Amino acid sequence: MARLIRWTAGVVAAALLVTGCGGGSPGHGAGGPDEGDDGSRSGRSAQRTRTPSVAPPGLPASLTSQKPDWGRCEAGADGEAPGRKWQCATLKVPLDWSKPGGETIGLALIRARARGEDRIGSLLFNFGGPGGSGLSTMPSYATTADRLRERYDLVSWDPRGVGASEGVRCRGDEEIQAAESVDATPDTPAEERRFAKDAADFGRGCQKAAGKLMAHVSTTDTARDMDLMRHVLGDAELHYFGISYGTELGGVYAHLFPKNVGRMILDAVADPTADTIGHAENQTRGFQRALDDYLESTGQDPRRGTRRIADLLRRIDGEPLPTSTPGRKLTQTLALIGIILPLYGEESRPLLTSALKAAERGDGSQLLALADGYNERDASGRYGTGSHAQRVISCLDDRQRPTLEEAKRLLPRFEKISPVFGAYLGWDTAGWCRDWPVPGQYETPEVSAPGAPPVLVVGNTGDPATPYEGARRMADELGEDVGVMLTWRGHGHVAYGKGSDCVDTAVNAYLLNGTLPKNGKVCS
């Protein structure tokens, strides 16, 4: 099973490239009239006086006085050297933030130094997940963020439990592939038992792999890591760009450290008021909207097209499709994931059309390739661990643990929203953290940030993974005079760097010059 809520934009973009979906490189906005070198500003200004960095209180000097030993990175996202401009280092942080003088773990950092002389500081990126690797994604995102490098060091990291930062692997590759035969929308008592057993087995595998780290990978833990990172990087304020789940992380940081917030962008915003069931319902609605839009864009009636796809999935549930990969068939669950992946961006719609036509002819190869891209499976059969880290972090965060019976009661509501995605996301609420060995921390994250400077919240009306309504709720929850709303009437996951000069200019103006757009500004 692969939970869909709060997934990383970087992984999705990379997956589409791997599966052969072309399209131009993401752009970056040119400077606009709000970005004059004379410092003139429109809208609300967030210019603040720079002050020396203050260390987080209560930490030993061995942590607060760290000086990262930046050296050339050994490898990038795809195993290739990421280029000479990229440097890597390790930051030591407490394993348990309630015992700051105790055992430490290492967090892997990556950066590219600012080009210009008028440097503001570091700009920290989190690309989502949870479970997304900053070390893997930052170099591939550099073209999109290139304008920002004029005044910032571009910095990212693998959060605790992810990748090179004590990354958790809950299952081996053969076990993961074997679990693909588990029906994520069980139709019989036997399928329900297998679904429940697989979910519980995964949790036990995570506990065995993570050990005592299992209870210390929460979003709150990572937010505290970020504040130490801010200080060690020499910044009085945390300048931050959060994408997808990274928006939740940014909101939690702003709540914990409102006085340390600098210029903060939250793009593709997770709804901070939604619990486990609420997130699943939001995404059911968001992906159905994206599917409707895709069908309309290809000249199809959305209702008829949805019904046809739902019928195809039912047929695959009864008899999985053959593929060109020896020993593997396209199951209903893999087909669903293969349909979902290209809905993240308009540029991948032709790939979805081709894959659906092939499946209707009885060939599941293209949908399987898309599902493999989402699941980080390479040609050799090795799987990435992003979904493993996503699960240990999410299940430590989320207190709500629906039972199988509760999930069943949700199904009519979810299937009414989407005959294609409803059952999958409804059942997922019960499977994701089933019999999890550590309790969750909260129903919903606390992101209120009284006293923080303005935070620019960017919402995309056509975002399938983090529907637009979540951006408005984040702006409201941050608080009056903190959340500043910018709307893009676009499609796909994430707004910045996706072709809107209006969005890119507004984000660049704030990050580079402290110039905020008018609250409620809409970009078409």
Side-chain angles (χ1 to χ4, degrees):
M1 292 171 293
R3 192 183 209 186
L4 298 172
I5 57 179
R6 307 177 228 159
W7 194 227
T8 169
V11 168
V12 169
L16 287 169
L17 292 173
V18 168
T19 55
C21 180
S25 299
H28 53 280
D34 290 342
E35 299 185 62
D37 291 337
D38 62 355
S40 59
R41 297 186 295 277
S42 64
R44 293 159 59 198
S45 172
Q47 198 74 19
R48 301 174 73 194
T49 303
R50 296 178 65 181
T51 56
S53 173
V54 175
L59 292 178
S62 59
L63 296 180
T64 59
S65 62
Q66 292 180 81
K67 296 188 181 301
D69 185 14
W70 293 102
R72 185 173 176 179
C73 302
E74 293 183 2
D78 53 4
E80 299 293 332
R84 293 182 180 179
K85 70 182 179 183
W86 296 103
Q87 299 174 311
C88 289
T90 299
L91 174 74
K92 293 293 183 183
V93 298
L95 168 67
D96 182 348
W97 271 98
S98 70
K99 301 174 182 177
E103 185 178 350
T104 63
I105 58 174
L107 304 183
L109 278 61
I110 186 169
R111 77 171 180 184
R113 297 299 302 272
R115 284 193 304 264
E117 295 181 1
D118 190 17
R119 177 181 176 276
I120 293 172
S122 298
L123 180 60
L124 193 62
F125 288 82
N126 182 281
F127 297 100
S133 166
L135 263 67
S136 296
T137 309
M138 190 74 251
S140 62
Y141 195 74
T143 300
T144 301
D146 186 67
R147 179 68 190 277
L148 304 176
R149 196 172 161 231
E150 292 177 6
R151 300 194 68 189
Y152 290 99
D153 297 347
L154 305 184
V155 180
S156 193
W157 81 111
D158 283 359
R160 51 175 64 209
V162 177
S165 299
E166 309 286 340
V168 177
R169 175 177 280 276
C170 304
R171 269 184 176 161
D173 296 324
E174 291 183 1
E175 292 176 292
I176 296 172
Q177 183 167 320
E180 288 179 347
S181 64
V182 175
D183 192 340
T185 58
D187 307 300
T188 67
E191 287 183 348
E192 287 181 21
R193 288 192 295 272
R194 192 175 180 207
F195 173 85
K197 182 179 183 302
D198 180 71
D201 286 348
F202 194 96
R204 284 189 286 271
C206 294
Q207 184 178 35
K208 182 178 179 180
K212 54 189 171 183
L213 182 65
M214 188 87 161
H216 303 292
V217 291
S218 70
T219 297
T220 300
D221 291 319
T222 294
R224 295 190 184 281
D225 293 342
M226 288 164 57
D227 200 52
L228 177 57
M229 198 179 304
R230 168 200 60 79
H231 171 68
V232 170
L233 292 172
D235 294 324
E237 302 165 329
L238 182 83
H239 306 297
Y240 178 76
F241 202 128
I243 296 171
S244 199
Y245 158 79
T247 63
E248 179 179 319
L249 176 59
V252 169
Y253 180 90
H255 173 71
L256 293 173
F257 307 104
K259 300 299 183 182
N260 293 349
V261 173
R263 298 173 186 176
M264 181 176 284
I265 306 292
L266 304 181
D267 185 3
V269 186
D271 183 352
T273 69
D275 57 16
T276 296
I277 293 173
H279 274 299
E281 187 170 350
N282 287 348
Q283 283 214 314
T284 302
R285 186 172 290 106
F287 278 105
Q288 185 60 47
R289 286 176 186 166
L291 182 63
D292 288 347
D293 185 73
Y294 157 73
L295 291 167
E296 285 183 349
S297 74
T298 54
Q300 303 177 65
D301 176 73
R303 288 191 178 184
R304 291 181 181 177
T306 293
R307 192 181 310 120
R308 192 184 74 251
I309 293 172
D311 288 343
L312 172 65
L313 291 168
R314 277 191 289 272
R315 294 197 300 272
I316 295 172
D317 191 28
E319 187 175 354
L321 296 182
T323 73
S324 58
T325 304
R328 299 184 74 206
K329 290 189 174 183
L330 180 76
T331 65
Q332 182 192 48
T333 301
L334 289 170
L336 271 164
I337 295 171
I339 292 168
I340 283 166
L341 176 68
L343 292 177
Y344 275 84
E346 284 184 290
E347 68 279 1
S348 54
R349 287 177 174 177
L351 196 59
L352 178 57
T353 299
S354 177
L356 286 172
K357 286 181 178 179
E360 288 174 333
R361 294 193 304 267
D363 181 2
S365 302
Q366 293 183 45
L367 280 177
L368 179 63
L370 287 166
D372 284 349
Y374 189 94
N375 290 332
E376 301 177 87
R377 185 186 193 272
D378 65 22
S380 70
R382 182 165 179 79
Y383 292 79
T385 59
S387 62
H388 302 215
Q390 184 189 24
R391 199 147 165 181
V392 297
I393 296 166
S394 294
C395 292
L396 183 55
D397 281 351
D398 298 344
R399 184 179 297 163
Q400 190 180 32
R401 306 283 167 81
T403 65
L404 290 179
E405 290 304 316
E406 288 171 332
K408 282 185 187 180
R409 289 195 291 270
L410 293 173
L411 295 182
R413 186 170 98 209
F414 276 53
E415 290 172 336
K416 184 177 180 181
I417 297 170
S418 173
V420 172
F421 308 114
Y424 178 75
L425 287 164
W427 277 111
D428 191 55
T429 61
W432 187 246
C433 300
R434 181 173 178 81
D435 297 334
W436 202 252
V438 291
Q441 294 191 352
Y442 47 67
E443 296 286 340
T444 60
E446 180 57 74
V447 300
S448 63
V455 173
L456 184 56
V457 179
V458 187
N460 173 3
T461 58
D463 194 316
T466 50
Y468 174 72
E469 293 86 349
R472 289 201 171 276
R473 291 173 188 141
M474 176 67 81
D476 290 342
E477 291 292 308
L478 285 167
E480 189 176 359
D481 296 326
V482 179
V484 176
M485 187 72 197
L486 174 66
T487 296
W488 179 41
R489 291 181 178 145
H491 301 282
H493 193 42
V494 182
Y496 183 72
K498 294 297 183 179
S500 169
D501 287 340
C502 174
V503 169
D504 294 354
T505 295
V507 170
N508 290 342
Y510 183 42
L511 288 175
L512 296 173
N513 294 306
T515 305
L516 278 164
K518 183 179 179 180
N519 191 11
K521 179 179 176 66
V522 177
C523 295
S524 299

